[in-house]
Amino acid sequence: MLHRVIYASEAVGPTGVSTLSIAQILGVSEVNNRRDEITAAIMFHRGHIVQAIEGKRVDIDRLMRRLLADRRHTGLRILVDTPITNRLLSDPVSVCPDPQAILRGAGVGEISRLTANEAEALLDLKYAA
């Protein structure tokens, strides 16, 4: 059975704001996600991160343990954790190219105050059309 988890966290140090840091995160994430058959979409905005991940429960749990131990995050909050019948996400890692527009479209001011419903709305907006 497949699951979807959406979490939000605050980036520590240059994580989420440095182009080099983001590139390093994405490179490692793509390799790991391909290996574990996880698909993901991530958004970096003003020192905060929101990410949706989809895959088998065992693989999602393993990834979440790594993320919880990762010192580049703090205050990691799981907003959505639900079984799904079909994947919405298709890439090992997809980056939101215009987070401000997606946030504005969902009526969300800041990732730091994101609710479960708003997180799902962000995902719906990113993949609408």
Side-chain angles (χ1 to χ4, degrees), residues 7-116:
Y7 75 86
S9 67
E10 185 175 342
V12 174
T15 305
V17 293
S18 158
T19 304
L20 177 59
S21 175
I22 291 171
Q24 290 170 336
I25 290 167
L26 296 176
V28 171
S29 296
E30 182 168 2
V31 169
N32 291 340
N33 289 356
R34 281 187 191 282
R35 179 196 66 216
D36 297 336
E37 298 180 2
I38 289 176
T39 52
I42 191 165
M43 176 189 294
F44 299 94
H45 186 257
R46 294 185 182 165
H48 289 85
I49 300 165
V50 63
Q51 182 173 25
I53 54 178
E54 296 175 341
K56 294 177 194 162
R57 177 87 263 169
V58 67
D59 297 321
I60 295 287
D61 289 346
R62 187 172 42 252
L63 173 56
M64 292 309 298
R65 283 191 300 274
R66 284 195 313 261
L67 291 172
L68 286 165
D70 191 332
R71 294 180 183 207
R72 295 173 294 184
H73 296 268
T74 188
L76 191 143
R77 299 180 297 128
I78 296 175
L79 303 170
V80 175
D81 187 343
T82 188
I84 57 174
T85 55
N86 297 306
R87 291 180 191 254
L88 177 61
L89 309 173
S90 59
D91 296 317
V93 66
S94 168
V95 179
C96 180
D98 190 355
Q100 189 64 44
I102 297 288
L103 290 168
R104 191 173 37 254
V108 175
E110 297 179 31
I111 291 175
S112 63
R113 296 187 180 133
L114 197 63
T115 66

